Amino acid sequence: MMRFPITDLMNQNECYNFLLNILHPNGFGCPNGHLLPPEQKPHDLSRQPLVDYKCRICGRVYNLFTNTIWSGTSYDCAVIVLIFRGFLQGITTKLLAEELERDYGTVLKWRHKIQQQALEKRLDEPLPDIQTEADELFQNAGEKGDKHTDPEDPPRRRANKRKGRGTFDNDRPPILGVVGRDSGQIRIAVCDGVKQTTIQPKVEHWTNVDASVNTDECTAYEHLNETGRFHSSVNHSQKEWARDDDGDGVREVHCNTLEGIWTGLRNFLRPFRGVHKKYLATYVAMFEWSHNIKRASVNFMRALMIPNFTYLPI
């Protein structure tokens, strides 16, 4: 793919105003709550339009990025906007670093910071749907980038073909998903394994007690009926993909909605050519957000860039 650096084509002042609107919804001022007087001159102009101010009340020196995820960065506003946009769109770190002519390792660290925010602030309330599905995906994810000097601990070979259900320890972490058929909203989590004690509490948390939960034959779901939920399952091992239980001609018992979502998740992860399992949950969280909100809202971007900001749907 041909590289085409575009940093110089962006207007720094417009990027500054874009970030100002996101990072300071209550007005720009020092971290101690003193607003910047309109007539005050900058304290340091060496990085215009990103300038430092000195608070007239408490003497604190601050700028646009103080107390945000970008605090301490040397990047200018245009680079930050492009990097942030790339993270939200799932562009690989390697491509971003090359196009913006920045250090790969530094861009990767920023990706991990932003995606950790996405993981911590993802939606966690129960789905409103009566009809839901639950399913699990086993994703190959080893320790990409880690050196394995111990001969008894060799790096995982590509295309892990380990038989049986995957676990976090054997480099095939299971990813649990629950989707509402009407809302289309999903809840996803990377798990250590697929034991009932791991899976069922999450399904209970993400569904209402009167919900109908459709799954495959995995034994982790077999006690859901005891929680008040109506549980139906199809047996994939017997090549059963959908079933009509109520005789209305519609095969309502299936988890095909989630199967389609898993295809989307695999496509999202594929360009990264492997993800370290320690960070897999953060990549999955970014996919979950993109599926649930479709378009990056101001509140969503604030939630990722302001550590103490709580996401408010709009």
Side-chain angles (χ1 to χ4, degrees):
M1 182 181 296
M2 183 180 294
R3 310 309 184 204
F4 192 112
I6 59 176
T7 310
D8 294 339
L9 305 180
M10 297 197 63
N11 186 303
Q12 291 285 356
N13 288 312
E14 290 299 321
C15 290
Y16 181 92
N17 291 331
F18 173 77
L19 292 169
L20 178 65
N21 177 56
I22 293 173
L23 298 175
H24 299 278
N26 299 319
F28 185 34
C30 85
N32 295 324
H34 308 127
L35 292 180
L36 174 68
E39 75 282 359
Q40 183 172 334
K41 301 298 182 182
H43 175 70
D44 185 350
L45 294 166
S46 60
R47 296 178 62 195
Q48 294 190 69
L50 181 62
V51 297
D52 291 346
Y53 293 93
K54 187 172 183 178
C55 182
R56 292 176 177 177
I57 299 175
C58 66
R60 177 76 181 270
V61 176
Y62 61 95
N63 62 31
L64 176 69
F65 299 141
T66 301
N67 281 9
T68 73
I69 196 74
W70 300 108
S71 180
T73 183
S74 61
Y75 293 160
D76 60 39
C77 295
V79 168
I80 284 177
V81 170
L82 287 171
I83 285 178
F84 190 68
R85 173 178 176 270
F87 292 166
L88 299 190
Q89 293 184 334
I91 297 175
T92 66
T93 308
K94 185 176 185 293
L95 181 57
L96 276 174
E98 290 181 355
E99 286 200 333
L100 300 177
E101 300 178 333
R102 293 300 186 272
D103 175 68
Y104 169 83
T106 304
V107 176
L108 183 61
K109 288 179 181 179
W110 283 114
R111 166 164 248 137
H112 289 163
K113 283 185 178 182
I114 293 291
Q115 293 186 169
Q116 184 62 34
Q117 290 285 102
L119 177 63
E120 293 175 0
K121 297 182 179 182
R122 61 183 177 165
L123 301 173
D124 196 43
E125 63 268 18
L127 295 164
D129 306 74
I130 293 298
Q131 291 291 331
T132 66
E133 298 174 21
D135 192 27
E136 65 287 338
L137 163 74
F138 298 98
Q139 175 64 35
N140 284 345
E143 297 173 332
K144 181 181 179 181
D146 288 359
K147 293 184 177 180
H148 290 253
T149 56
D150 184 353
E152 296 184 0
D153 180 31
R156 178 181 65 81
R157 297 182 62 184
R158 284 190 175 275
N160 187 0
K161 301 296 184 181
R162 187 185 297 269
K163 295 183 179 180
R165 294 190 177 274
T167 67
F168 193 86
D169 289 338
N170 69 21
D171 294 341
R172 291 187 67 221
I175 302 173
L176 170 68
V178 179
V179 63
R181 286 184 178 172
D182 291 329
S183 69
Q185 295 284 293
I186 59 173
R187 303 288 184 266
I188 309 180
V190 176
C191 304
D192 293 332
V194 289
K195 294 182 179 179
Q196 180 201 348
T197 52
T198 301
I199 299 299
Q200 182 168 314
K202 295 184 184 301
V203 177
E204 289 184 49
H205 181 68
W206 290 334
T207 60
N208 290 313
V209 69
D210 59 346
S212 175
V213 185
N214 296 273
T215 73
D216 60 16
E217 71 277 15
C218 178
T219 58
Y221 306 110
E222 62 185 10
H223 293 288
L224 278 173
N225 278 329
E226 300 170 11
T227 70
R229 292 159 180 80
F230 182 75
H231 174 228
S232 301
S233 63
V234 288
N235 194 332
H236 288 171
S237 65
Q238 299 299 317
K239 300 188 182 302
E240 181 186 45
W241 312 114
R243 189 176 67 252
D244 176 16
D245 278 352
D246 56 13
D248 63 353
V250 177
R251 297 184 178 185
E252 71 283 348
V253 182
H254 64 80
C255 46
N256 293 336
T257 310
L258 267 174
E259 294 290 350
I261 291 172
W262 292 149
T263 299
L265 176 57
R266 288 190 181 99
N267 290 339
F268 176 82
L269 293 174
R270 187 171 292 113
F272 295 99
R273 298 294 190 269
V275 172
H276 196 300
K277 62 183 179 182
K278 181 172 66 173
Y279 300 109
L280 177 61
T282 70
Y283 286 83
V284 169
M286 291 299 285
F287 171 81
E288 181 179 350
W289 275 110
S290 67
H291 179 93
N292 284 335
I293 68 174
K294 311 301 183 190
R295 183 184 181 91
S297 67
V298 171
N299 277 335
F300 170 63
M301 291 186 284
R302 283 175 182 154
L304 297 196
M305 291 195 276
I306 305 176
N308 59 356
F309 186 86
T310 302
Y311 173 73
L312 301 172
I314 58 174

